[in-house]
Amino acid sequence: MFKTKNLFLTFFTISLIFMINICAFAAPYVNFKITYDGKTYTYNKERVYLYVNSKQVENLPLEPIILNDYTLVPARESFEKIGASVTWIKDTDQVQVVYKDMVVLMKINDNNATVNGQLFNMSIPPKLINSKTMIPVRFVSEAMGLTVNWDNNTRIINISEPIVQDTTTETTTITETTTQVQKADIEIEKIEMPDSDERTFSIYSNKKIEKFQQVILEDGSVAIDIYNSYNSIKETNMESITEFISNVTIENKENNITRFIFKTKSSVLNNNFLSEDGKILYVNFGGNPIKKIEAYNDGTNDILKLYGEFAPDVNISKNSTNDLINIEIKNSAIVNLTESIKEMKYINTLDYSKSTDILVNIEASIKEDVSYSNKKEDNITVITIGKNISDTNNNNNSNNNTNNNNNNNNSNNNNITSSRQFKIEKKDNVSININNIKHTDNYLNKKYILTFDKDITSLIDMGEHKVNNDLVDNILVENVNGVTQMVINCKKITAINVTEDNKYIYINMLLPKEKYKNIVVIDPGHGGAAPGTSGNGLVEKDINLDIALRLDKLFEANSEVKAYFTRLEDVNPSFNDRTNMSNEVGDMFISIHQNASGNGGSGPNGTEVFYLNPNTSDRGLTSKAMAEILQKTLLEQLNTLDRKIKTSNLIVLRNNKMPAVLCEIGFLSNPTEAARLGKPEFRQQVAQAIYDGTMEILEQYPSVR
């Protein structure tokens, strides 16, 4: 009995020690929501720790994520620690990592990647998770010659540079024998600069270019490296008169690389392709490469689909004998084309042999006289060819919006000239000055009101006029106090322009970014049943709203900036409502908040601005740059303590696709700061500081629209 009891105690003790050791190595579980590919999931797994050169990377905006047994890490925070340059190319959803002489280029949700121009297939593609670019750590590291080690016990993944051994004694004699560098085979002979209305630069060589690589530089410039080449062009700094490029410089890099640097005026899509013989490299800016043509009959009509980086703008015409339809796409080229052509009812053949590097020309020979229409869907233009098709081609009316995808059902309403335009016929006995029309943008209630300075119901019927396009449901015409009002009931935030010619007044319905050069979304935090923090007799939601209302007046006086507010009264929009507005219409997002501390006494004080995701905009602005400028302006004008800019995984920052910040102005728990925030004149100072900071941001990062 004694021996059995001792044996049991020994076994229990060993088991306990074993369990303690297991627990010591087990990483804690993390549990949070992740959103990618349009869906939200609960991520509940053991935490992964990221190390670079054996040092932990802390304060990551998003933890390393394991998907399908592969680890994804934040691109910028992971690889800039090791000296790499990480660039997000928004126009093409690509991320570029440059480390020494290695360039890795990947695209979101695409398993294909290039390493110095050579194509590779990844086991898992990069993902946008919670709006953060997450990339496969092992593929990228090993592609750049780095070492990746995984410790399953500690859950540590470590990226490290290879250890370079001291070979000084060996290289002395080697240097003498390798000073003669073999001359490159390819001579770069000339570059043709395009005219102001063209977009393609042509680089000529004496032999076929076997390898070239694009690199996005830190200032946004586009560099094209041509391998195994040398430059014989005498002028190495040339001005450009094109819309997108200010100048081109040529550099001779090490290892027989000729680099062309295109200084961009703004963020712009570009694509590069070689001539058939490989002796001309075309570098196209602002154009739209056609990558796929699909044609088939849907049972009634012939359907022609043209795929580009974005939906191509087409000009369509028929010849005089009605046996040929000509489709032109300007500032475009056919690049690595994929065809899917099936038998059709009306189209005999498709011929695009007349296309050039700046113009795609498609000729469709047809069997009989037909009509056609076209519309845009994401990155596709769909052309329908058949009998009795209403022409929805948007190229013929200068007042139309070229991005219109919608047909309207208002064939009996003479006021509807297109799905995004409403017209009022003029009469001699009623004079209207369109500059006297009052605009009231009640966007929070999805209404836009035009108030005329007189009764114009002799020109337009009172009551409801159905519009039913992608922006507007209907227009209600009514008389109020002797003048006519047009209440435009919108489906989403809509901008209105009023124009005229000799015969008509036009009410043009636009997306906000089609009208306004600069758009800022201001978010007064909390509201309604969510009061926020409080202290010293003040409630955060009230302070935030008062500052926002003062900001509204400042922006109203500036025609260069349109400000939308997530609330203008004591209500509490959801987090999704706040960020959806920003993602739908904004160029930037600023959330206004107040701080508090539960430490008792006077507690901490000061101003801090939070940011999270880089979210680089078309104008080159990042969330961090916004935070730096606003923090500086707030400190200068409010004379508060500098609590620095910080990162935080706040939902209004996490869910924003635009550059976004959250400003904590002061501490309501601090009697001194609360006394200042309680005064209207100080809240006016806060509003002015945010306004001035916003204007400085827009000055440093001007609009590209």
Side-chain angles (χ1 to χ4, degrees):
M1 180 71 180
F2 177 80
K3 288 183 178 179
T4 304
K5 185 176 181 181
N6 273 285
L7 186 63
F8 171 77
L9 287 173
T10 303
F11 177 76
F12 177 78
T13 304
I14 293 171
S15 300
L16 184 62
I17 293 170
F18 180 70
M19 291 174 66
I20 289 170
N21 283 332
I22 289 176
C23 292
F25 283 112
Y29 271 72
V30 291
N31 189 308
F32 51 87
K33 299 289 186 183
I34 57 173
T35 300
Y36 63 92
D37 298 345
K39 295 182 179 179
T40 300
Y41 308 86
T42 298
Y43 184 81
N44 186 4
K45 293 187 180 181
E46 283 185 274
R47 183 182 178 188
V48 175
Y49 299 89
L50 177 64
Y51 280 64
V52 172
N53 284 334
S54 300
K55 183 177 180 181
Q56 186 174 358
V57 182
E58 299 179 307
N59 299 320
L60 288 169
L62 185 61
E63 300 280 346
I65 300 289
I66 294 180
L67 292 182
N68 302 326
D69 296 327
Y70 293 96
T71 305
L72 302 175
V73 296
R76 192 176 299 278
E77 291 77 7
S78 303
F79 289 97
E80 286 188 347
K81 292 285 185 184
I82 213 157
S85 170
V86 180
T87 304
W88 170 248
I89 309 169
K90 182 179 179 182
D91 291 328
T92 54
D93 282 345
Q94 289 177 301
V95 59
Q96 172 188 269
V97 185
V98 180
Y99 177 71
K100 296 183 178 177
D101 61 346
M102 304 301 296
V103 180
V104 181
L105 187 64
M106 300 162 286
K107 186 172 183 176
I108 298 299
N109 291 333
D110 190 340
N111 288 81
N112 293 316
T114 61
V115 180
N116 282 357
Q118 186 177 353
L119 187 65
F120 288 88
N121 186 268
M122 299 177 287
S123 299
I124 189 170
K127 293 281 184 184
L128 278 180
I129 303 179
N130 293 356
S131 301
K132 181 67 187 170
T133 306
M134 304 289 284
I135 60 179
V137 60
R138 185 168 295 279
F139 173 83
V140 176
S141 300
E142 292 180 350
M144 297 189 299
L146 303 172
T147 301
V148 183
N149 290 314
W150 167 253
D151 188 322
N152 197 48
N153 289 328
T154 60
R155 307 287 289 178
I156 290 175
I157 190 160
N158 182 52
I159 307 168
S160 59
E161 296 174 283
I163 298 173
V164 180
Q165 296 181 345
D166 186 2
T167 57
T168 307
T169 56
E170 299 175 10
T171 55
T172 306
T173 56
I174 294 174
T175 305
E176 295 176 1
T177 61
T178 58
T179 51
Q180 293 294 324
V181 178
Q182 185 176 358
K183 189 175 180 181
D185 290 334
I186 302 169
E187 178 186 2
I188 305 300
E189 298 176 328
K190 67 174 181 176
I191 179 171
E192 284 188 355
M193 309 284 280
D195 294 332
S196 59
D197 59 344
E198 295 180 348
R199 308 183 182 196
T200 302
F201 295 77
S202 304
I203 301 171
Y204 290 79
S205 64
N206 68 331
K207 294 182 180 180
K208 181 180 179 181
I209 296 172
E210 298 289 350
K211 180 181 177 183
F212 67 91
Q213 177 70 42
Q214 175 175 305
V215 180
I216 307 298
L217 304 182
E218 285 297 321
D219 65 353
S221 296
V222 174
I224 304 293
D225 291 340
I226 302 177
Y227 288 75
N228 190 30
S229 69
Y230 65 96
N231 174 46
S232 64
I233 303 172
K234 292 182 180 179
E235 190 175 357
T236 57
N237 192 336
M238 294 157 279
E239 289 189 6
S240 168
I241 58 173
T242 60
E243 180 182 354
F244 301 108
I245 304 300
S246 59
N247 70 292
V248 181
T249 56
I250 308 173
E251 296 179 357
N252 292 313
K253 306 289 286 183
E254 294 179 356
N255 302 321
N256 293 329
I257 295 174
T258 304
R259 169 168 285 189
F260 288 79
I261 300 176
F262 298 85
K263 179 68 175 176
T264 54
K265 297 178 183 177
S266 59
S267 178
V268 60
L269 174 73
N270 78 292
N271 54 90
N272 318 302
F273 49 97
L274 288 167
S275 61
E276 198 168 318
D277 62 4
K279 294 182 180 180
I280 308 173
L281 174 59
Y282 298 108
V283 184
N284 175 267
F285 289 91
N288 188 9
I290 303 303
K291 299 182 176 181
K292 181 179 178 180
I293 295 178
E294 186 177 351
Y296 59 92
N297 184 273
D298 66 358
T300 304
N301 301 308
D302 288 351
I303 307 297
L304 178 61
K305 292 184 176 181
L306 306 175
Y307 294 73
E309 290 287 352
F310 46 88
D313 290 325
V314 297
N315 290 309
I316 307 176
S317 60
K318 286 194 294 185
N319 65 355
S320 57
T321 55
N322 294 325
D323 62 357
L324 195 70
I325 292 178
N326 187 266
I327 303 163
E328 282 191 348
I329 309 169
K330 293 183 178 179
N331 296 311
S332 185
I334 290 173
V335 180
N336 300 325
L337 185 70
T338 301
E339 279 188 347
S340 176
I341 310 295
K342 298 181 180 179
E343 187 175 349
M344 289 171 282
K345 184 177 181 179
Y346 302 105
I347 298 176
N348 268 320
T349 59
L350 290 172
D351 178 19
Y352 46 85
S353 61
K354 295 179 181 177
S355 299
T356 69
D357 60 300
I358 59 172
L359 174 71
V360 171
N361 185 295
I362 302 172
E363 291 183 345
S365 64
I366 51 179
K367 302 173 184 178
E368 55 186 293
D369 189 21
V370 291
S371 53
Y372 54 83
S373 67
N374 72 86
K375 64 178 181 178
K376 298 178 181 179
E377 298 175 352
D378 297 324
N379 66 322
I380 308 167
T381 293
V382 181
I383 301 171
T384 303
I385 296 173
K387 294 291 187 180
N388 303 317
I389 296 174
S390 59
D391 185 2
T392 59
N393 186 356
N394 299 321
N395 298 310
N396 300 324
N397 190 328
S398 60
N399 290 305
N400 264 353
N401 184 281
T402 57
N403 290 322
N404 165 42
N405 297 339
N406 299 277
N407 300 324
N408 65 73
N409 299 314
N410 296 285
S411 57
N412 296 324
N413 188 338
N414 292 328
N415 296 103
I416 304 296
T417 62
S418 77
S419 66
R420 282 201 185 174
Q421 190 181 80
F422 189 91
K423 70 179 181 181
I424 304 170
E425 187 172 6
K426 292 181 177 180
K427 292 182 180 178
D428 292 338
N429 61 337
V430 181
S431 62
I432 298 176
N433 185 343
I434 63 172
N435 295 320
N436 292 337
I437 300 173
K438 180 184 177 183
H439 291 243
T440 305
D441 189 358
N442 188 359
Y443 53 88
L444 288 172
N445 292 314
K446 293 187 170 59
K447 295 182 185 294
Y448 197 108
I449 302 169
L450 298 174
T451 305
F452 292 77
D453 60 357
K454 61 186 65 177
D455 180 356
I456 66 161
T457 51
S458 61
L459 305 181
I460 183 171
D461 293 336
M462 290 180 60
E464 181 183 300
H465 295 253
K466 197 71 176 173
V467 177
N468 195 27
N469 63 24
D470 58 328
L471 299 178
V472 172
D473 183 22
N474 62 68
I475 298 175
L476 181 63
V477 179
E478 54 190 2
N479 263 13
V480 179
N481 299 324
V483 299
T484 300
Q485 276 192 350
M486 297 180 68
V487 181
I488 303 169
N489 293 298
C490 307
K491 295 178 179 178
K492 55 185 176 181
I493 296 176
T494 302
I496 301 296
N497 261 349
V498 181
T499 58
E500 64 179 337
D501 58 22
N502 293 333
K503 292 187 66 176
Y504 297 101
I505 294 171
Y506 299 99
I507 313 300
N508 300 293
M509 296 158 261
L510 310 168
L511 292 168
K513 287 186 179 180
E514 293 168 344
K515 177 177 180 179
Y516 303 113
K517 185 178 179 181
N518 300 292
I519 301 175
V520 58
V521 173
I522 304 293
D523 173 45
H526 305 286
T533 191
S534 60
N536 294 291
L538 300 178
V539 179
E540 182 184 2
K541 67 171 184 175
D542 300 329
I543 302 297
N544 297 341
L545 180 59
D546 184 80
I547 293 169
L549 293 173
R550 296 170 186 275
L551 257 177
D552 189 24
K553 292 180 180 177
L554 292 171
F555 281 115
E556 278 290 327
N558 187 340
S559 61
E560 290 294 307
V561 184
K562 175 65 175 179
Y564 290 106
F565 290 75
T566 60
R567 68 182 183 104
L568 289 168
E569 54 187 355
D570 188 19
V571 295
N572 182 32
S574 70
F575 290 125
N576 283 340
D577 288 340
R578 297 171 194 262
T579 55
N580 285 348
M581 176 186 285
S582 174
N583 292 332
E584 179 185 330
V585 303
D587 293 316
M588 65 183 78
F589 175 92
I590 301 172
S591 192
I592 303 170
H593 284 257
Q594 309 304 318
N595 229 326
S597 170
N599 293 337
S602 59
N605 65 293
T607 299
E608 54 196 9
V609 177
F610 290 93
Y611 71 98
L612 180 61
N613 299 321
N615 289 345
T616 305
S617 69
D618 290 342
R619 61 183 72 201
L621 175 66
T622 64
S623 299
K624 184 179 180 181
M626 273 187 71
E628 290 171 341
I629 294 172
L630 284 166
Q631 178 77 353
K632 175 181 70 71
T633 310
L634 287 164
L635 295 176
E636 288 174 352
Q637 298 194 24
L638 305 182
N639 196 27
T640 49
L641 177 69
D642 184 5
R643 293 177 60 86
K644 310 299 181 184
I645 65 170
K646 302 173 181 178
T647 59
S648 181
N649 194 24
L650 299 165
I651 191 167
V652 292
L653 302 181
R654 186 171 68 242
N655 289 353
N656 244 299
K657 296 178 182 177
M658 295 297 111
V661 298
L662 185 146
C663 302
E664 295 276 9
I665 306 301
F667 281 74
L668 298 184
S669 55
N670 183 287
T672 302
E673 286 197 338
R676 295 183 77 191
L677 284 161
K679 296 177 181 178
E681 55 268 26
F682 182 73
R683 295 196 296 273
Q684 185 65 39
Q685 280 183 264
V686 175
Q688 187 68 52
I690 295 173
Y691 174 82
D692 290 345
T694 304
M695 298 311 296
E696 184 174 335
I697 290 167
L698 297 177
E699 183 179 350
Q700 289 191 29
Y701 299 90
S703 173
V704 297
R705 292 196 290 275

